[in-house]
Amino acid sequence: MSYSDKVIDHYNNPRNVGSMDKKDSDVGTGLVGAPECGDVMKLQIKVNPQTNVIEDAKFKTFGCGSAIASSSLATEWVKGKTIDEALAIKNTEIVKELALPPVKIHCSVLAEDAIRAAIGDWRKKQESVKPETVQAAQ
Amino acid sequence: MSTNGKKTDQDYSQRNVPAGIKLPIYMDNHATTPMDPRVLEEMLPFFMENFGNPASRNHPFGWAAEEAVELSRERVAKLIGATPKEIIFTSGATESDNLAIKGVAEMYREKGNHIITAVTEHKAVLDTCKHLEKLGFRVTYLPVQKDGLVDLDDLKRAMDDKTILVTIMAANNEIGVLQPISEIGKLCRERGVLFHTDAVQAIGKVPIDVNKMNIDLASITAHKLYGPKGAGALYVRRKNPRVQVVPLIDGGGHERGMRSGTLNVPGIVGLGKACAIAHQEMEQESRKMAGMRDRLKQSIMSRLDEVYVNGSEEHRLPGNLNISFAYVEGESLLMGINDIAVSSGSACTSATLEPSYVLKALGTGDDLAHSSIRFGIGRFNTDAEVDYIGDRLVETVLRLRELSPLYEMAKEGVDLKSVKWAAEAH
């Protein structure tokens, strides 16, 4: 198995590793994958409630080098984006950026899932904080 | 592993490498072994000067080749307590396994159609058995216990009056556990059932004696024994009982009709020399390898928590260590120690994207199977390499655990088994 330079770079120097307070109402946490499948990603976002802009992102990943790189890249990409812009990130863009081979596409899918799960968690928190802005369940 | 040689070379040079260590380090000796220079030296004349065909009976070229082949036959036989006439040369262990199992099945079909094997066998045995199932044979795949060993009571229960063959490996290629070959052989002999063992990983590493162990057929290969690839042998018992196999390959009647085809003389010479060296040095070498294995284990276990040895530690090849590092995925671990050649039971490193079926058979959870690394220590490894590997491994596992959400959750006291995982991948 050979890895692209970008995968190796993210593996050796992962960006935005860490954790934020799950209970913070501005923080959304996505936990996707399963240990039995060999991949678990935790991706967290901190959102400015006034602007809906993702001001910080953190991740931790159990998985192969491509899974680590996909989630590291995802945190880089969501930072500074609005919620809607972040939701527009497609796994195919991650595949392209990291030059993932076909057997590693599921890593990019998982990263996209992690972004969506984090945003979903954040939205749920906003609903409970401000019940008048309830949005349709996704 | 990275195929990008140039890049990895640069990586190595940046690292602080202790004196006397050359990177990358090879510690995957269950996959294949490097050639012993003494083996190569003995083979070389049989490419150019002594190129003859041992089947040529009428000139000195043929005689020289034949003499070399017969010396090899004696050397192979001596290592396992057999007689030279009981050694059939093949292209390697996969062919030997096929010849033993298919050859016995076809020869003894009138006697019965039942074969017993175990779920942790090599694919060369399992897939051969599956093939026979399609042809109407019945195959029992014995489970293994938590330590990887077959339960003899299971074997007894599985045997019936249609059982013609039991095929159980001597040492496992992934976890290195040694099956109770003597007991299995005794049981088979009492019941009049033939016993084949894939002894590829065991021969030359631990004592194998076909008579003491009541083995009727045994598969051997040169390249796991510091010999060349493409040369192997099948031991076929000639007395008490006389075992016959139907050949897979028909032709000129070489190898007493059991394996036609012009003999691979240089390869056979290499196999013979490899066996001769093993016969001489096995005892001392095994002690040395077990010492290095224990040193590596100690180096890892004394510095990391939640690491688990897979398979019996008592009944084990001296050079094998198979460890799961909880909360760290195997392929990412291999990527972190890319200056060390080892292998993993992780799905990501297998062609089928399934975690190791051997580890699963032990009842190791899929999560720990994904986290496993196999170390295969060999003749040319050194204590200095073992120490370097231990350090690199500990440093990489610690780094990846800092990156692991599972490690974080476990440290927070979350029971990972109770988490409802939103698994969409795969």
Side-chain angles (χ1 to χ4, degrees):
Chain A
M1 184 85 59
S2 65
Y3 303 96
S4 70
D5 289 348
K6 281 181 179 162
V7 169
I8 293 171
D9 181 39
H10 277 281
Y11 173 84
N12 286 330
N13 310 292
R15 331 293 199 250
N16 307 310
V17 177
S19 296
M20 294 188 274
D21 181 6
K22 271 186 296 211
K23 296 189 190 87
D24 185 334
S25 62
D26 293 340
V27 170
T29 302
L31 183 68
V32 297
E36 301 80 60
C37 302
D39 303 288
V40 176
M41 288 180 190
K42 186 186 80 165
L43 192 146
Q44 292 184 302
I45 51 170
K46 192 176 173 72
V47 185
N48 182 324
Q50 265 75 50
T51 58
N52 273 4
V53 168
I54 298 171
E55 292 185 334
D56 199 5
K58 296 279 181 208
F59 88 97
K60 284 200 174 191
T61 288
F62 162 83
C64 63
S66 301
I68 290 169
S70 295
S71 39
S72 171
L73 179 67
T75 58
E76 269 195 325
W77 278 1
V78 298
K79 260 197 191 178
K81 285 197 167 67
T82 65
I83 290 294
D84 288 340
E85 285 166 348
L87 280 171
I89 295 171
K90 292 274 165 288
N91 83 291
T92 48
E93 298 169 81
I94 297 173
V95 171
K96 206 172 151 201
E97 173 68 16
L98 296 175
L100 296 181
V103 295
K104 296 296 182 188
I105 286 174
H106 73 271
C107 298
S108 69
V109 174
L110 208 59
E112 187 189 312
D113 288 345
I115 296 173
R116 289 169 181 275
I119 292 173
D121 181 58
W122 175 78
R123 277 189 169 153
K124 216 188 271 170
K125 281 184 179 169
Q126 307 315 301
E127 286 158 20
S128 53
V129 173
K130 296 173 281 180
E132 68 276 13
T133 59
V134 166
Q135 293 175 348
Q138 40 180 350
Chain B
M1 300 267 32
S2 173
T3 51
N4 195 332
K6 275 193 186 131
K7 190 180 302 115
T8 44
D9 284 350
Q10 282 170 8
D11 288 348
Y12 302 153
S13 65
Q14 284 163 13
R15 218 160 258 146
N16 201 1
V17 183
I21 289 184
K22 192 173 163 290
L23 298 179
I25 297 169
Y26 189 76
M27 201 177 268
D28 199 13
N29 287 282
H30 301 308
T32 192
T33 52
M35 284 269 291
D36 189 306
R38 294 170 288 180
V39 172
L40 178 66
E41 197 186 338
E42 191 129 335
M43 288 170 69
L44 285 174
F46 293 90
F47 288 99
M48 298 296 287
E49 300 102 274
N50 300 322
F51 60 86
N53 186 336
S56 299
R57 293 280 156 82
N58 306 310
H59 52 66
F61 298 90
W63 300 333
E66 193 194 11
E67 194 186 327
V69 166
E70 293 316 311
L71 173 62
S72 288
R73 214 184 289 283
E74 278 170 36
R75 287 169 153 178
V76 176
K78 197 170 173 192
L79 182 60
I80 59 172
T83 61
K85 280 185 176 167
E86 296 175 308
I87 304 300
I88 306 297
F89 289 118
T90 66
S91 63
T94 294
E95 186 190 333
S96 297
D97 288 340
N98 271 266
L99 176 58
I101 299 168
K102 290 175 182 167
V104 163
E106 192 177 340
M107 181 61 80
Y108 296 90
R109 177 139 207 185
E110 284 182 5
K111 200 174 161 227
N113 69 341
H114 183 224
I115 294 167
I116 301 173
T117 185
V119 290
T120 51
E121 290 295 306
H122 192 274
K123 290 284 181 191
V125 167
L126 291 177
D127 286 357
T128 302
C129 288
K130 278 187 196 136
H131 175 81
L132 289 174
E133 278 186 291
K134 283 188 209 146
L135 300 180
F137 285 86
R138 229 171 6 103
V139 180
T140 300
Y141 300 90
L142 296 175
V144 293
Q145 304 167 97
K146 223 177 148 34
D147 61 3
L149 301 185
V150 169
D151 183 337
L152 292 168
D153 289 329
D154 284 346
L155 175 60
K156 269 183 221 164
R157 274 192 292 273
M159 285 177 161
D160 60 36
D161 58 357
K162 293 286 177 208
T163 309
I164 50 173
L165 179 70
V166 170
T167 170
I168 303 278
M169 66 192 349
N172 185 270
N173 49 304
E174 285 190 36
I175 51 175
V177 300
L178 304 172
Q179 295 291 354
I181 291 302
S182 294
E183 289 82 353
I184 295 170
K186 187 163 172 273
L187 198 60
C188 288
R189 187 58 51 86
E190 283 165 10
R191 308 280 177 108
V193 172
L194 294 180
F195 175 37
H196 165 248
T197 186
D198 178 335
V200 161
Q201 299 286 351
I203 283 179
K205 318 289 164 60
V206 291
I208 295 285
D209 186 303
V210 291
N211 291 318
K212 283 189 195 144
M213 295 172 164
N214 291 311
I215 295 166
D216 297 313
L217 302 115
S219 301
I220 304 165
T221 196
H223 79 102
K224 313 275 194 199
L225 200 56
Y226 314 96
K229 290 157 190 71
L234 179 68
Y235 158 76
V236 184
R237 177 173 289 282
R238 261 165 74 87
K239 255 195 344 213
N240 309 318
R242 180 186 177 84
V243 179
Q244 288 178 285
V245 294
V246 174
L248 297 174
I249 299 171
D250 295 304
H254 307 79
E255 299 299 278
R256 298 176 30 241
M258 283 188 251
R259 206 280 190 178
S260 287
T262 296
L263 293 174
N264 166 15
V265 178
I268 289 167
V269 167
L271 172 62
K273 181 64 177 177
C275 288
I277 294 172
H279 190 257
Q280 280 278 313
E281 301 180 358
M282 180 169 70
E283 211 184 309
Q284 192 192 354
E285 183 170 281
S286 290
R287 257 200 308 275
K288 185 184 145 206
M289 289 206 284
M292 282 195 280
R293 191 259 319 274
D294 295 343
R295 186 184 180 103
L296 179 60
K297 191 182 126 197
Q298 175 65 18
S299 165
I300 294 166
M301 303 273 244
S302 64
R303 289 185 282 175
L304 292 174
D305 59 350
E306 299 210 54
V307 294
Y308 306 98
V309 175
N310 295 307
S312 169
E313 293 198 55
E314 188 190 347
H315 306 283
R316 199 181 192 97
L317 284 175
N320 176 278
L321 188 61
N322 188 309
I323 301 194
S324 287
F325 299 86
Y327 319 120
V328 171
E329 195 277 329
E331 194 197 51
S332 67
L333 187 47
L334 292 188
M335 200 171 161
I337 53 168
N338 66 344
D339 49 359
I340 301 160
V342 290
S343 70
S344 169
S346 157
C348 293
T349 62
S350 78
T352 55
L353 288 181
E354 281 291 322
S356 155
Y357 66 90
V358 173
L359 295 180
K360 285 174 86 166
L362 262 56
T364 307
D366 276 10
D367 49 342
L368 281 177
H370 284 293
S371 302
S372 72
I373 301 284
R374 175 185 73 176
F375 301 91
I377 298 169
R379 180 174 291 167
F380 302 110
N381 288 121
T382 63
D383 280 344
E385 288 177 337
V386 165
D387 293 344
Y388 178 78
I389 290 173
D391 291 348
R392 289 276 292 118
L393 203 71
V394 168
E395 145 204 322
T396 307
V397 169
L398 289 175
R399 183 173 94 80
L400 290 172
R401 280 185 174 172
E402 277 312 304
L403 212 64
S404 169
L406 303 179
Y407 188 64
E408 180 181 72
M409 290 164 85
K411 289 288 145 193
E412 285 167 1
V414 177
D415 176 12
L416 295 174
K417 299 262 182 279
S418 70
V419 176
K420 203 167 164 288
W421 297 101
E424 284 133 303
H426 292 278

